Each structure stands twice: as C-alpha cells, then as structure tokens.
Amino acid sequence: MKLMFKILIPVSLSVLSSCSTPTSRGRSAGEEYCECSKKEDIFSISKCKKDVLKEHKDDLLNEEFKNAFWSAVADCDE
C-alpha cells in the first residue's frame, strides 16, 4: 500500500503540471506581475516586476505564454 502511494503521488503531480498550458501559466504570471503594483514604494514595485520577468524569462520566449502574460498585464491596468 505504501509503495502504491509513493508511485501514485509523483505520477499525479506530473499529470497536474502537464495540464497547465502556456496560456494559463502566462495569465498566472501576468497576474503575479500585476500584484507588484500593490507594493509600498516604487523601488519595491520595480524589484518585484523585475523578479517576475526574470523568473519567467525563458517562458516569455514562447509566443502563447507571452501573449497571455501581456494580456493579463493589460487587464490589470484597467
């Protein structure tokens, strides 16, 4: 029984992570970027935004991710 759980949990996690599409990850990262605007001062805001961009640097090379990311960012400005 324990062996089954040791196998089942990693498999379940990999299935869940594979369900995440570039569009959904891009939208999520864009929302994270938007949350940076709630920081207290301009230096904290800019550092937060820089960190989000740095974290998703490779993902932003994907057109689908990039479009979803910037669309989410545009939506938070409204």
Side-chain angles (χ1 to χ4, degrees):
M1 187 72 154
K2 283 186 175 185
L3 179 62
M4 187 171 81
F5 282 117
K6 286 183 179 181
I7 294 170
L8 188 60
I9 291 174
V11 168
S12 298
L13 291 175
S14 67
V15 167
L16 287 175
S17 68
S18 68
C19 292
S20 138
T21 64
T23 300
S24 65
R25 288 193 329 270
R27 193 172 18 258
S28 177
E31 291 167 0
E32 184 181 344
Y33 185 89
C34 291
E35 289 294 313
C36 292
S37 297
K38 296 179 180 175
K39 299 284 183 183
E40 293 181 22
D41 61 88
I42 193 150
F43 295 112
S44 297
I45 293 169
S46 61
K47 181 182 179 331
C48 178
K49 288 182 176 185
K50 176 186 157 205
D51 290 345
V52 171
L53 291 173
K54 191 174 183 181
E55 178 182 344
H56 298 285
K57 177 177 76 171
D58 294 333
D59 291 325
L60 285 163
L61 297 174
N62 178 297
E63 197 67 29
E64 197 176 329
F65 180 95
K66 182 172 65 173
N67 290 340
F69 178 87
W70 290 115
S71 177
V73 170
D75 288 346
C76 77
D77 289 338
E78 295 176 347

